Amino acid sequence: MDKINRRKFIKSAGLAGGALSLAGVAGAGYSAGADKDSFTGYGRTAYGEDQFFNRKPFLVDKPTYVQEGEPVRITSIEDIFKRNGELSRLMFSRNGDQPAWKPSDGLDALPGYLRAYYQANPGAFDEFIKAMQKGREQRTNWDKYRDKYFIADAWSNAHSSPIRGRSSFPAEPQGKPEESDFRGVNKKRLKLKSPRHGSELLKKICYSFGASLAGIAKVKKEWVYQGSLRGIGRVDYEVPSHWKYAVVIAVPHEWDSMYANPTYGTSYDAYSKLRFIAGKMEVFIKELGYSARPHVPPTSYDLVMPPLAIDAGMGEQGRNGILITPELGANTRLAAITTDMPLEPDKPIDIGVSKFCKKCRICAEECPGGAISFKDTPGEVIRGYRRWKIDQNKCFTVWNSVATSHARGCRVCLSVCPYSRKNNWIHNFAREADPRDPTGLLASGLLAMQKKFFTYPGGQEYLPPPDGNNRTFGEAPGWLRTEEWFDL
Amino acid sequence: MFNNSNILEPLFWIIMGGLYTVFIIGLAMWLKDMKVKMNWWKWSLTLLWFILLSITVAGGFTLIGENELRAGLLFMAVPGAVIIVAGVALGRFLLRNTNEEKDN
Ligand code: SF4
Ligand code: SF4
């Protein structure tokens, strides 16, 4: 009898154990998903642990961008921010002078170099005028949305405060690079053991300053802007010979606010962090006795960042034009420090982003401005490289349209990208397994689940009424929601 | 489960290990009483099925924890349905052998 009872008891306990262990994995799963510490970056480690993806199996000799023809340097006027910088200098008077140009003066009244750009890019000027118009509506409508996004706006403004004006850090270079990049360089240099030691040391210091990712690239001249140089102004110039290597660093935006783009997120959180890290790296490298020049967001760059970061083995370019890294996905913001310190460059990687983007298109479907290509393959050869290209002008119109106090960005294409996910077991399975699957079946399965299981508001929905409903991709976190803290 | 506690987290996994052990011992008794003859590959299939079920439940709840309720429920419903069907098929297969033995 006793034996039968004991047997019955063990059998019942076995059933209960099975059920409880399933409840246990449910609880463990829930907690892995809810855990804020599984968001990568944001200063959680000073020792490089955020760069957790083992790149070794995916190192390649050639980067995954495709060269077709002779590479050409990008002229600064082709970059929307540098172009808009030139326009705003003309449109907004300094010292009470009359503005040199206003949109109603038309294209013909613009200086030759700007006119040439717009003539070579039909539609871009009209899109700029539309963006200006949308910007006026945005400022007028802000009264309607101010209370709802009160904290988000304050949070963004606080992040942008170290970027504005003369006291920004790092200071803008003054004078020729041959002078400014060497200003303050320690005359006493110690003998570096090897370039590999140099690279390892600088990466460790980047991490200690708060970088999530760090890589080293050789500077290719085609990544250096032409037509304008910080510290000098508008000028055509040869790439300075001391810009030998670039230390490239990346940090993410704060994740919960990033998922709540476009209205709750900001670009300035990552920008201000990058500026502090790059500025401190400039000082550190100069202390070691070598030249250094930081290239930092939002616009203080003399080099184009994504291809440089690809060369530095940090990731690959996505359909949305952004660098996609295994750790941060599209939530990757970049800065760099050019130097003549002897360094060993990293190798580029191939984790299958270019292949995945050909199938995915989520960012193109969600972009409120229709700025991202739907084509099957990168359709254009741009300055000697076949790659994805976004329509910067349409993108900028969206910046001026969403319900924010001013054109402070959209970033929906960062939020919706399936690569922008937490460092937890389920996403790490996808991170590790997908690039190892030569058949591409896993990628197709994951993508099908992504599209069928997850909720995407759809492009126009991110815009304010009447075009959309001010939707965000993810729900805004409580700490950014005004109604949680103030009586409305 | 208790990510920020370095006491409760290992304790949780020790208890989970205990639960799995009790489950496997109990299951072995059930199968023996039902006259199911098990060998290494039958055990492997059975445990693989339970692991897949556990992963599906864990995956669904991970997505729910990430505030993706719909994705989490669908993750459990779609692969979960396949796993349940596979489980029923596996159970029938294991029991069919015993029925055949009984008939003989
Ligand atoms: S930032 Fe917004 S508008 Fe610009 S490309 Fe990305 S999704 Fe489109
Ligand atoms: S959303 Fe899809 S297509 Fe767009 S960058 Fe990410 S993976 Fe590529």
Side-chain angles (χ1 to χ4, degrees), chain A residues 157-172:
Chain A
N157 289 340
H159 277 304
S160 72
S161 58
I163 298 171
R164 290 189 224 121
R166 288 185 167 274
S167 54
S168 64
F169 181 80
E172 279 292 279

Side-chain angles (χ1 to χ4, degrees), chain A residues 7 11 29 424-425 427 453, chain B residues 1 3 30 33 62 66 70:
Chain A
R7 202 170 175 83
K11 280 167 68 179
N424 65 25
W425 73 277
H427 302 304
F453 292 1
Chain B
M1 181 76 169
N3 299 317
W30 275 100
D33 286 359
T62 302
E66 288 184 2
R70 183 171 173 270

Side-chain angles (χ1 to χ4, degrees), chain A residues 40-354:
Chain A
T40 305
Y42 241 68
R44 287 194 308 104
T45 162
Y47 307 102
E49 298 299 312
D50 280 339
Q51 198 156 346
F52 58 82
F53 186 81
N54 179 13
R55 284 167 166 73
K56 256 196 190 142
F58 307 106
L59 295 178
V60 285
D61 290 329
K62 275 188 174 173
T64 51
Y65 50 68
V66 183
Q67 189 179 337
E68 278 187 30
E70 198 51 39
V72 178
R73 279 169 69 187
I74 178 174
T75 56
S76 58
I77 221 70
E78 288 175 81
D79 178 285
I80 187 159
F81 299 112
K82 295 191 188 283
R83 187 164 67 249
N84 285 357
E86 298 279 339
L87 284 168
S88 77
R89 264 187 286 282
L90 299 171
M91 284 163 63
F92 302 107
S93 65
R94 306 272 185 276
N95 317 318
D97 299 343
Q98 278 291 90
W101 179 84
K102 50 188 182 312
S104 57
D105 294 342
L107 192 55
D108 290 340
L110 280 173
Y113 60 96
L114 278 166
R115 197 169 56 240
Y117 169 82
Y118 286 117
Q119 280 166 346
N121 293 274
F125 187 72
D126 290 343
E127 195 66 42
F128 171 72
I129 300 294
K130 185 175 164 192
M132 292 291 100
Q133 170 61 26
K134 287 283 177 192
R136 279 191 290 277
E137 288 171 25
Q138 186 181 52
R139 285 188 292 279
T140 313
N141 288 338
W142 177 237
D143 264 352
K144 276 195 268 177
Y145 304 122
R146 182 193 306 268
D147 290 355
K148 183 169 184 196
Y149 304 120
F150 183 65
I151 296 181
D153 196 53
W155 187 68
S156 176
N157 289 340
H159 277 304
S160 72
S161 58
I163 298 171
R164 290 189 224 121
R166 288 185 167 274
S167 54
S168 64
F169 181 80
E172 279 292 279
Q174 300 293 326
K176 292 180 187 166
E178 289 73 14
E179 291 160 13
S180 67
D181 299 2
F182 289 87
R183 208 165 285 140
V185 167
N186 192 346
K187 298 234 162 27
K188 187 167 162 38
R189 237 187 225 180
L190 296 179
K191 190 175 173 297
L192 191 62
K193 287 191 173 177
S194 73
R196 187 173 59 79
H197 284 85
S199 292
E200 286 307 309
L201 172 66
L202 291 194
K203 283 197 242 178
K204 283 192 192 305
I205 301 298
C206 287
Y207 299 135
S208 82
F209 288 158
S212 297
L213 312 178
I216 310 287
K218 215 168 177 339
V219 172
K220 284 185 186 165
K221 79 171 187 321
E222 54 261 42
W223 308 147
V224 181
Y225 280 108
Q226 181 59 289
S228 137
L229 178 60
R230 288 178 307 142
I232 300 282
R234 291 195 50 74
V235 63
D236 281 344
Y237 64 101
E238 289 298 315
V239 177
S241 60
H242 64 277
W243 291 5
K244 287 193 167 70
Y245 300 99
V247 183
V248 190
I249 53 174
V251 300
H253 293 296
E254 191 286 317
W255 289 84
D256 273 338
S257 59
M258 186 275 303
Y259 286 130
N261 276 326
T263 42
Y264 286 93
T266 183
S267 297
Y268 295 117
D269 59 340
Y271 288 179
S272 55
K273 277 194 77 182
L274 285 168
R275 291 182 73 106
F276 279 119
I277 301 164
K280 286 190 251 184
M281 282 306 293
E282 175 193 6
V283 175
F284 181 79
I285 294 171
K286 285 182 171 175
E287 288 286 336
L288 298 186
Y290 299 94
S291 72
R293 182 183 186 91
H295 304 262
V296 291
T299 57
S300 300
Y301 296 111
D302 296 305
L303 290 95
V304 188
M305 290 295 113
L308 196 65
I310 294 171
D311 290 349
M314 293 165 86
E316 292 176 67
Q317 195 210 19
R319 182 184 284 271
N320 51 12
I322 299 168
L323 182 80
I324 310 258
T325 60
E327 294 88 353
L328 308 172
N331 187 14
T332 303
R333 292 304 200 182
L334 297 165
I337 306 96
T338 41
T339 181
D340 61 352
M341 182 168 168
L343 299 174
E344 184 180 272
D346 287 299
K347 278 189 158 194
I349 56 169
D350 181 356
I351 51 162
V353 173
S354 350

Side-chain angles (χ1 to χ4, degrees), chain A residues 320 322 363 366-372 390-391 394-396 398-399 409-414:
Chain A
N320 51 12
I322 299 168
C363 53
E366 290 303 300
C367 172
I372 301 174
I390 70 155
D391 187 326
K394 286 185 178 169
C395 175
F396 188 61
V398 172
W399 292 30
C410 160
R411 298 166 304 274
V412 163
C413 49
L414 277 62

Side-chain angles (χ1 to χ4, degrees), chain B residues 5-103:
Chain B
S5 166
N6 45 21
I7 297 173
L8 292 179
E9 183 68 6
L11 204 61
F12 170 77
W13 287 109
I14 290 168
I15 293 171
M16 285 293 283
L19 288 174
Y20 279 121
T21 312
V22 171
F23 167 64
I24 291 167
I25 294 170
L27 180 68
M29 283 194 180
W30 275 100
L31 293 169
K32 202 171 175 191
D33 286 359
M34 292 164 86
K35 309 264 184 301
V36 180
K37 275 204 179 142
M38 294 295 277
N39 56 25
W40 69 268
W41 60 265
K42 286 181 187 168
W43 268 115
S44 304
L45 274 181
T46 310
L47 293 181
L48 179 70
W49 177 82
F50 191 70
I51 289 168
L52 285 177
L53 182 69
S54 303
I55 288 175
T56 309
V57 170
F61 275 88
T62 302
L63 294 176
I64 293 171
E66 288 184 2
N67 228 359
E68 297 283 0
L69 180 67
R70 183 171 173 270
L73 293 177
L74 284 169
F75 187 90
M76 283 190 282
V78 179
V82 177
I83 288 170
I84 299 288
V85 171
V88 171
L90 178 66
R92 285 187 153 204
F93 169 74
L94 295 177
L95 291 173
R96 197 190 59 177
N97 282 352
T98 64
N99 292 340
E100 277 167 10
E101 269 171 34
K102 273 183 214 158
D103 293 344

